Amino acid sequence: MAQVVTSHRGPVTGTATHKRKKRPFLLDLYSTAVGKKYVMGITGVAMMGFVLFHMIGNLKMYAGAAGLDHYAHFLQTLLYPLAPKGWVLWILRGGLISMLFLHLHAAWSLTRLNRHARPMKYQSKRDYQIANFASRTMRWTGIIVLAFLVWHLLDLTFGVVNSETGKMITHPGDEESVKAVYASIVYSFQRTPVAFFYVVANILLGIHLFHGAWSIFQSFGLNNPRFNSWTRAFATGFASIVVIGNVSFPIAVMAGIVG
Ligand code: HEM
């Protein structure tokens, strides 16, 4: 009797077995590695802008308590009375949270995509000369900076680990009281382990920023070797400015320059 041969083979990869649903263009782009790299780049640039301006704003600390507290108050009442107090700040916060979420999601799904493309680890020793120290450490510097951010918010925004955060102060010449931000920073950095944690976390942030700033040019296809020295100078300059500024704050408090 003739035997019926049945094939259990699935369709060849890429065979159209059903009509694909059309997705919006941006979602379609995001499903590709290039799209995810764009998202990492754009959200990275936005957050680079934030850390730079955050550091510049915090330099007001050197102008004394009133200078910094008034600056924080200015941010909290941005566009007032055009917009109710605090609204613009919350919109900016919303943008920042979305950027952080997208950056993390793109990083996570790019890692998954890479693992999928190469499920086995390389068997031979890799030549890591091309991938420098900063690029190999992106994941863990990112995770530590994220942990720092959680502590930082509990410390200086929500005051869960800082009894001075949220207190109000009326500076000489003022009619209304403002949030005593300066006092809460000084209180925070007078705790030596906390100050050290800020220093270490900000150095790691610098390493992350250095490679991030450098990678943006690659993500957007602007890595022409002719401009390599420029891109390196930009990444080095940007990361150094942010780190030097940020690290100076805990050091200034520990040294008694600010207090
Ligand atoms: C030593 C360096 C830093 C100092 C002295 C500092 C200081 C502060 C202060 C005082 C606040 C609260 C402001 C307020 O309530 O009005 C704050 C909020 C915040 N900081 Fe920092 N910061 C530093 C570094 C950083 C870094 C490196 C990042 C990001 C990686 C960061 C991200 C944030 C965020 C996201 C907020 C919340 C902003 C908001 O809710 O309005 N900070 N920081």
Side-chain angles (χ1 to χ4, degrees), residues 50 54 58 76 93 152-153 179 181 185 202 205 246:
F50 170 79
H54 191 43
N58 285 335
Q76 271 143 22
R93 283 170 174 166
H152 183 52
L153 293 179
K179 243 177 102 179
V181 174
I185 293 179
N202 274 286
L205 170 72
N246 276 350

Side-chain angles (χ1 to χ4, degrees), residues 3-236:
Q3 217 177 340
V4 181
V5 181
T6 49
S7 166
H8 294 291
R9 238 180 29 162
V12 175
T13 317
T15 307
T17 51
H18 57 275
K19 230 179 160 192
R20 255 186 86 208
K21 247 191 168 170
K22 196 134 178 57
R23 276 187 299 189
F25 169 73
L26 284 180
L27 268 185
D28 226 20
L29 181 62
Y30 187 64
S31 68
T32 68
V34 173
K36 293 184 205 306
K37 283 187 182 169
Y38 281 159
V39 168
M40 289 229 74
I42 294 167
T43 54
V45 169
M47 290 193 292
M48 278 165 67
F50 170 79
V51 285
L52 179 66
F53 284 104
H54 191 43
M55 185 282 287
I56 294 173
N58 285 335
L59 288 174
K60 282 266 179 207
M61 208 181 298
Y62 296 116
L68 185 74
D69 294 352
H70 286 148
Y71 166 68
H73 185 70
F74 156 78
L75 288 182
Q76 271 143 22
T77 52
L78 224 54
L79 287 188
Y80 177 79
L82 203 61
K85 280 182 187 172
W87 276 41
V88 177
L89 189 63
W90 269 110
I91 293 169
L92 293 175
R93 283 170 174 166
L96 203 59
I97 293 168
S98 318
M99 292 298 139
L100 182 63
F101 173 78
L102 285 172
H103 198 74
L104 292 174
H105 189 269
W108 173 74
S109 54
L110 262 175
T111 311
R112 270 192 49 174
L113 217 72
N114 288 344
R115 291 227 177 104
H116 198 68
R118 169 167 280 284
M120 284 252 290
K121 273 195 157 181
Y122 285 114
Q123 297 300 298
S124 62
K125 249 184 157 283
R126 295 289 89 201
D127 178 3
Y128 278 131
Q129 266 171 352
I130 315 158
N132 63 22
F133 174 75
S135 72
R136 278 183 284 129
T137 53
M138 279 316 258
R139 198 168 320 146
W140 65 261
T141 49
I143 291 170
I144 297 172
V145 169
L146 198 63
F148 159 78
L149 189 59
V150 172
W151 169 271
H152 183 52
L153 293 179
L154 294 177
D155 183 17
L156 297 178
T157 298
F158 301 115
V160 176
V161 292
N162 186 330
S163 56
E164 293 303 306
T165 301
K167 287 190 180 166
M168 304 297 280
I169 186 169
T170 311
H171 289 291
D174 281 2
E175 279 174 13
E176 57 169 350
S177 58
V178 292
K179 243 177 102 179
V181 174
Y182 183 91
S184 80
I185 293 179
V186 170
Y187 173 84
S188 181
F189 295 158
Q190 274 172 347
R191 301 168 296 183
T192 311
V194 174
F196 272 113
F197 178 46
Y198 268 82
V199 171
V200 172
N202 274 286
I203 291 171
L204 296 180
L205 170 72
I207 296 170
H208 195 88
L209 282 178
F210 168 75
H211 181 71
W214 168 260
S215 314
I216 296 164
F217 296 93
Q218 278 187 330
S219 297
F220 293 104
L222 303 169
N223 57 337
N224 189 315
R226 274 192 301 155
F227 304 127
N228 266 359
S229 55
W230 286 95
T231 37
R232 184 171 285 274
F234 168 73
T236 312

